[in-house]
């Protein structure tokens, strides 16, 4: 089950010429693919592009009607390899995945694809995840495009521009026989807007047509001497063809006045931020009409020497607005200036940050600094001179507590690490590595388990140096998504082949939870178009793991601790793998809450488990919080003057998973946790019985209170 369903929105993909399409950027990309006669699509989910895979999955019926093949690939490498269909056949193909990590995974296939070249248009749609909100290392896809000579599009973040870029990308790929990357940042993925739709087109050649008439060309195989010829073909033919197409079709855009002593050059994805900064300075109106010339690079590789030269030849100074580092675009333009003997002063990273996301304020500050140097008369009066009275922004990290990410309320991964912490309390600290996925939050308080991650599915592989045996066995974590992505071969297979005497824990959430709940091979759900319900344990045994343990309820902390303890202390040599399975609570709540709420609204009897803490029993040492870390566990100050310390308290966000009570039991903490089943639309007998029990309890409480007043010294 995916995080979001796009069934309703997918119907809009059937719109035809003359109709206005309104929606998110990802939906617009899907519509553009269909309008441009794509023959096959695939990819692998990952923020900020995950929803594109979800949309494609929900649109499989429509894709089938048009003769389009859809593949939910096992990894980014598998997706990129699928583009081989466009090498020999004039079929347009598109794949999508997260960047730059997805590009890294797909690098081998992409490099070979770029070397051999393509006949059909090959489009790689990448979700560029850069900035403070990113979940990965801070890198850009730009250098990979340069390394392998893959043309890189970076359209303005508006639906018409994004839709046009899809068509331009296919045509540019075909005109230059080169694969093309289309970069969309998170704001472009989710920007809303509208554009005039066109009719969907069946591919001129479908994959079924190609199967009926197979072709081969050994000159396309990346082996010497052909690979040497490919390199010359890139420079002698493909590059000039790409430049010619970009210029003749106006892929890059120019805005503002024709003449000026200054100019701005920006990546297409930065355009909205540039315009907003100019609006704040009074140098652009609400329609985006700028008082300063702007050269907008919807194609950031290759850069066009003639376009750049024409733009800067009559200017005193230009500012290059390029997010991220190194400053590849700025360096290339500096080379153009030198080789063409131009005298223009070029600025970029000297006025804008070398690294980090270019937010609205960052953009405003950089453009203001540029204008102060080259056109102070264009600035508002109060901004022309340096502001000597400006107050420094205080360092709020000294006063505002940090808010690190953590497990969701009720997350079934939380008890795994509570159990691991209890085991380490007995056996001592162990060498632990993590992996990409929600379980990586365990490296933060209160668990502080593990401290490194090397790539999706590579958790066990990153512990390989410690797998030779020792006083303590190494522990590694990998999620079910990572296991099927790369972990089975690169991590588990590696452990088996090398007879690693270590422990791997596979966290099975029933689907790829961290990327949005997409089905994978071991998903428990029925999927009409995909093969699911393939147990991870079968795969482990199939590659030679002898010691395998399955636990189907991770909330059973004592059981989880027992299995971990056994794995770490058994005399049996070789890899030991624990499959810890429980459904992702976030997706479970998304599925069950609407059903439960409807049942309650319809007057049906519904039981909802809730947990609480007995205030009289709670000792107030908060060990339960330190071992659980559940967001619903908080502190409560009592009115009792004899109890100064706050006690533990469970707030209304509790989902009734029972982890807090299990932890308290396993760690032999105070027995203050209790479970109460809240009954909605109770039967008449339950209401009667509730009245009787409440009356008896009330009578006993009043009786006890009266005795306290009568004999205070004995109570």
């Amino acid at each position: 089950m995916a995080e979001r369903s796009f069934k309703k929105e997918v119907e809009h993909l059937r719109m035809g010429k003359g109709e206005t399409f309104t929606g998110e950027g990802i939906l617009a990309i899907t519509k553009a693919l269909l309008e441009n006669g794509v023959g096959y699509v695939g990819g692998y989910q990952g923020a900020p592009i995950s929803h594109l895979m979800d949309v494609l999955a929900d649109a499989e019926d429509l894709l089938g009607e048009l003769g389009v093949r859809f593949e939910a690939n096992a990894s980014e490498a598998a997706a990129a390899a699928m583009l081989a269909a466009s090498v020999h056949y004039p079929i347009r193909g598109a794949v999508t995945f997260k960047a730059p990590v997805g590009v890294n995974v797909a690098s081998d296939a992409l490099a070979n694809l770029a070397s051999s070249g393509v006949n059909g248009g090959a489009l790689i749609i990448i979700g560029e995840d850069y900035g403070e909100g990113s979940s990965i290392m801070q890198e850009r896809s730009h250098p990979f495009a340069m390394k392998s000579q893959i043309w890189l599009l970076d359209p303005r973040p508006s639906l018409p521009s994004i839709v046009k870029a899809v068509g331009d990308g296919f045509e540019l790929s075909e005109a230059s026989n080169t694969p093309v990357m289309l970069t969309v940042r998170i704001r472009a993925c989710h920007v809303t807007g509208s554009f005039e739709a066109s009719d969907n087109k069946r591919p001129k050649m479908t994959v079924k047509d190609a199967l009926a008439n197979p072709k081969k060309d050994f000159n396309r195989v990346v082996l010497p001497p052909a690979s040497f010829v490919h390199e010359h073909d890139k420079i002698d033919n493909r590059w000039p063809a790409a430049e010619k197409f970009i210029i003749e079709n106006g892929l890059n855009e120019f805005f503002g006045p024709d003449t000026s002593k200054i100019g701005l050059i920006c990546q297409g994805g930065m355009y909205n931020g540039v315009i907003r900064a100019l609006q704040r300075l009074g140098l652009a109106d609400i329609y985006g009409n700028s008082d300063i010339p702007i050269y907008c690079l919807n194609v950031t590789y290759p850069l066009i020497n003639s376009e750049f030269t024409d733009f800067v030849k009559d200017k005193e100074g230009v500012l290059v607005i390029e997010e991220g580092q190194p400053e590849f675009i700025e360096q290339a333009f500096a080379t153009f200036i030198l080789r063409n003997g131009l005298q223009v002063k070029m600025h970029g990273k000297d006025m804008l940050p070398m690294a980090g996301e270019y937010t609205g304020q960052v953009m405003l500050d950089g453009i203001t600094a540029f204008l102060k140097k080259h056109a102070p008369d264009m600035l508002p009066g109060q901004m022309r001179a340096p502001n000597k009275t400006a107050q420094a922004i205080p360092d709020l990290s000294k006063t505002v507590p940090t808010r690190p990410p953590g497990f969701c309320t009720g997350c079934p991964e939380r008890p795994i690490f509570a159990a691991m912490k209890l085991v380490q309390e007995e056996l001592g600290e162990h060498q632990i590595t993590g992996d990409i996925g929600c379980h990586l939050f365990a490296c933060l308080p209160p668990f502080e388990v593990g401290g490194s991650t090397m790539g999706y599915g590579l958790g066990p592989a990153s512990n390989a140096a410690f797998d030779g045996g020792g006083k303590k066995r190494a522990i590694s974590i990998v999620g079910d998504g990572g296991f099927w992505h790369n972990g089975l071969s690169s991590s588990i297979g590696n452990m088996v082949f090398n007879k690693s005497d270590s422990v791997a824990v596979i966290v099975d959430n029933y689907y790829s939870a961290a990327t949005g709940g997409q089905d994978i091979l071991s998903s428990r759900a029925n999927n009409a178009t995909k093969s699911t319900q393939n147990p991870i344990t079968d795969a482990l045994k199939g590659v030679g793991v002898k010691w395998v343990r399955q636990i189907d309820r991770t909330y059973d902390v004592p059981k989880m601790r027992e299995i971990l303890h056994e794995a770490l202390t058994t005399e049996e040599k070789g890899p030991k793998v624990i499959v810890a399975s429980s459904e992702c609570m976030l997706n479970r709540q998304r599925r069950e809450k609407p059903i439960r709420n409807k049942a309650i609204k319809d007057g049906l009897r519904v039981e909802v488990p809730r947990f609480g803490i007995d205030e009289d029993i709670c000792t107030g040492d908060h060990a339960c919080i330190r071992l659980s870390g559940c967001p619903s566990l908080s502190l409560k100050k009592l009115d009792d003057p004899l109890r100064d310390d706050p006690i533990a308290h469970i707030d209304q966000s509790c989902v009734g998973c029972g982890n807090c009570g299990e932890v308290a039991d396993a760690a032999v903490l105070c027995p203050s946790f209790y479970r109460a089943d809240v009954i909605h639309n109770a039967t008449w007998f339950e209401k009667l019985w509730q009245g009787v029990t409440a009356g008896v309890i009330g009578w006993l409480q009043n009786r006890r209170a009266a005795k306290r007043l009568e004999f205070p010294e004995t109570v």
Side-chain angles (χ1 to χ4, degrees):
M1 118 175 226
E3 187 174 292
R4 282 183 62 183
S5 172
F6 291 87
K7 287 291 186 182
K8 291 182 179 178
E9 291 89 340
V10 160
E11 291 304 311
H12 298 166
L13 298 177
R14 297 181 181 275
M15 286 184 176
K17 186 175 182 180
E19 296 183 88
T20 299
F21 185 100
T22 301
E24 280 189 331
I26 279 177
L27 285 161
I29 292 172
T30 313
K31 175 61 174 163
L33 290 172
L34 301 180
E35 291 180 354
N36 283 280
V38 69
Y40 62 95
V41 288
Y44 192 85
Q45 60 272 3
I49 206 72
S50 287
H51 292 339
L52 183 49
M53 288 299 294
D54 298 336
V55 170
L56 291 168
D58 285 342
E60 275 199 85
D61 289 344
L62 174 57
L63 297 177
E65 293 171 16
L66 293 170
V68 180
R69 165 67 177 166
F70 169 62
E71 179 94 357
N73 301 107
S75 69
E76 296 88 350
M82 189 169 69
L83 289 172
S86 294
V87 173
H88 295 301
Y89 303 95
I91 308 174
R92 288 184 170 182
V95 296
T96 179
F97 39 76
K98 178 186 183 76
V101 288
V103 174
N104 292 342
V105 172
S107 59
D108 199 11
L110 290 176
N112 278 278
L113 184 73
S115 181
S116 64
V118 296
N119 280 319
L123 193 63
I124 306 118
I125 303 167
I126 54 175
E128 194 77 351
D129 194 9
Y130 182 83
E132 293 183 6
S134 173
S135 60
I136 57 168
M137 78 291 286
Q138 297 289 292
E139 289 188 354
R140 299 164 61 193
S141 303
H142 197 111
F144 188 94
M146 296 168 62
K147 173 192 78 70
S148 294
Q149 191 169 308
I150 297 175
W151 313 136
L152 184 62
L153 305 186
D154 188 358
R156 289 189 291 126
S158 69
L159 262 56
S161 297
I162 294 170
V163 169
K164 181 178 183 298
V166 171
D168 289 342
F170 279 129
E171 292 180 11
L172 174 60
S173 176
E174 291 162 345
S176 60
N177 302 113
T178 304
V180 171
M181 283 186 180
L182 173 62
T183 296
V184 280
R185 294 172 175 81
I186 187 168
R187 289 178 178 83
C189 289
H190 300 297
V191 67
T192 57
S194 59
F195 64 94
E196 186 175 337
S198 297
D199 293 333
N200 296 330
K201 297 178 182 177
R202 289 183 62 85
K204 293 180 180 179
M205 173 182 279
T206 67
V207 290
K208 290 183 178 180
D209 295 334
L211 275 173
N213 297 281
K215 294 182 179 180
K216 54 189 175 183
D217 180 358
F218 295 119
N219 291 321
R220 294 284 188 181
V221 180
V222 186
L223 284 173
S227 55
F228 182 74
V229 176
H230 295 167
E231 183 70 3
H232 277 275
D233 186 40
K234 285 181 178 180
I235 302 304
D236 298 337
N237 300 309
R238 298 189 213 165
W239 195 313
E243 288 192 337
K244 183 174 183 290
F245 182 89
I246 293 166
I247 294 170
E248 290 181 352
N249 291 275
L251 268 58
N252 295 319
E253 298 175 284
F254 298 87
F255 301 96
D258 293 332
T259 58
S260 175
K261 65 177 182 178
I262 60 170
L264 304 176
I265 304 174
C266 69
Q267 296 164 299
M270 296 286 98
Y271 175 80
N272 287 6
V274 171
I275 285 297
R276 179 57 184 147
L278 293 177
Q279 288 172 343
R280 293 173 68 182
L281 291 169
L283 298 174
D285 61 22
I286 60 173
Y287 303 105
N289 297 311
S290 172
D291 293 342
I292 299 175
I294 300 173
Y295 178 24
C296 181
L297 299 172
N298 293 317
V299 182
T300 51
Y301 181 77
L303 298 172
I304 309 301
N305 190 337
S306 59
E307 284 188 351
F308 173 77
T309 303
D310 288 343
F311 182 74
V312 304
K313 63 184 179 183
D314 60 346
K315 293 178 174 55
E316 297 176 8
V318 293
L319 175 67
V320 179
I321 300 166
E322 175 185 6
E323 188 177 61
Q325 55 82 30
E327 62 275 50
F328 299 111
I329 297 174
E330 188 177 342
Q331 291 175 12
F333 284 157
T335 301
F336 290 170
I337 289 173
L338 182 64
R339 289 179 178 173
N340 290 299
L342 302 173
Q343 300 301 312
V344 61
K345 298 291 184 181
M346 187 175 68
H347 302 276
K349 296 297 184 183
D350 57 334
M351 294 183 172
L352 288 159
M354 175 62 78
E357 185 177 0
Y358 281 5
T359 62
Q361 189 61 46
V362 167
M363 203 83 78
L364 177 65
D365 293 342
I367 293 175
T368 300
F370 171 70
L371 292 175
K372 282 182 178 179
K373 185 172 183 66
H374 288 283
D377 55 304
M378 298 186 74
L379 287 169
Q382 70 273 17
M383 300 184 69
R384 293 175 188 172
N387 189 354
K388 298 180 180 180
T389 62
Q391 297 292 320
I393 299 175
D395 184 0
L396 296 180
S397 65
K398 305 297 183 183
T399 55
V400 179
T402 59
R403 188 184 179 188
F407 295 110
C408 300
T409 302
C411 177
E413 300 187 18
R414 190 185 307 279
I416 297 173
F417 298 104
M420 194 174 293
K421 199 167 183 179
L422 291 172
V423 170
Q424 288 196 107
E425 185 180 13
E426 178 184 350
L427 301 180
E429 295 286 330
H430 284 65
Q431 163 63 28
I432 302 175
T433 58
D435 206 304
I436 303 300
C438 299
H439 58 267
L440 200 56
F441 295 142
C443 66
L444 301 170
F447 303 111
E448 299 178 284
V449 170
S452 65
T453 176
M454 300 304 294
Y456 205 28
L458 297 179
S462 58
N463 244 353
F466 305 101
D467 282 351
K471 290 184 178 180
K472 298 176 184 177
R473 289 181 171 125
I475 305 172
S476 54
I477 320 294
V478 62
D480 49 355
F483 172 81
W484 291 115
H485 176 277
N486 194 21
L488 179 58
S489 57
S490 297
S491 283
I492 302 301
N494 184 68
M495 291 175 69
V496 173
F497 184 69
N498 289 285
K499 299 183 178 179
S500 303
D501 188 27
S502 58
V503 179
V505 179
I506 300 174
V507 181
D508 175 17
N509 296 305
Y510 290 17
Y511 27 70
S512 187
T515 58
Q518 292 83 8
D519 278 333
I520 50 180
L521 278 163
S522 54
S523 294
R524 308 295 176 94
N526 292 316
N527 190 312
T529 62
K530 302 292 180 288
S531 174
T532 54
Q533 303 178 28
N534 298 286
I536 292 174
T537 51
D538 286 358
L540 292 169
K541 294 171 184 176
V543 296
V545 181
K546 307 299 183 186
W547 196 102
V548 179
R549 298 291 184 272
Q550 170 83 42
I551 181 169
D552 281 322
R553 183 176 175 272
T554 60
Y555 298 106
D556 189 344
V557 177
K559 182 68 174 177
M560 193 72 233
R561 178 178 61 179
E562 177 188 329
I563 293 176
L564 281 166
H565 189 279
E566 179 190 358
L568 293 169
T569 58
T570 181
E571 294 296 323
E572 187 172 340
K573 300 299 182 182
K576 285 153 280 291
V577 184
I578 301 168
V579 182
S581 303
S582 277
E583 185 179 7
C584 166
M585 183 59 74
L586 189 63
N587 270 10
R588 179 180 173 184
Q589 290 294 315
R590 285 196 180 109
R591 183 183 69 252
E592 292 184 352
K593 268 189 174 180
I595 298 172
R596 185 174 67 223
N597 292 339
K598 184 179 185 304
I600 294 172
K601 185 178 180 181
D602 292 343
L604 301 178
R605 183 185 181 280
V606 176
E607 287 188 21
V608 181
R610 292 297 305 273
F611 284 79
I613 295 174
D614 191 319
E615 297 179 359
D616 293 330
I617 298 176
C618 179
T619 62
D621 70 342
H622 310 142
C624 55
I625 296 177
R626 294 192 297 273
L627 275 173
S628 169
C630 179
S632 66
L633 268 176
S634 58
L635 300 178
K636 179 180 179 181
K637 186 73 173 176
L638 294 176
D639 294 332
D640 190 343
L642 299 179
R643 300 183 67 181
D644 294 333
D645 293 334
I647 64 167
H649 173 69
I650 299 178
D651 64 28
Q652 294 298 311
S653 65
C654 172
V655 295
C657 70
N659 177 57
C660 50
E662 294 277 2
V663 168
D665 178 59
V668 195
L669 305 177
C670 66
S672 57
F673 290 89
Y674 64 84
R675 169 173 169 161
D677 291 331
V678 180
I679 301 176
H680 297 267
N681 302 319
T683 64
W684 68 268
F685 179 77
E686 287 171 329
K687 293 177 182 178
L688 176 63
W689 183 248
Q690 170 67 16
V692 172
T693 55
V696 172
I697 292 172
W699 178 78
L700 291 172
Q701 288 176 333
N702 292 334
R703 183 169 174 264
R704 184 186 182 198
K707 282 191 174 184
R708 278 183 170 176
L709 293 174
E710 187 176 355
F711 306 105
E713 70 282 356
T714 63
V715 178

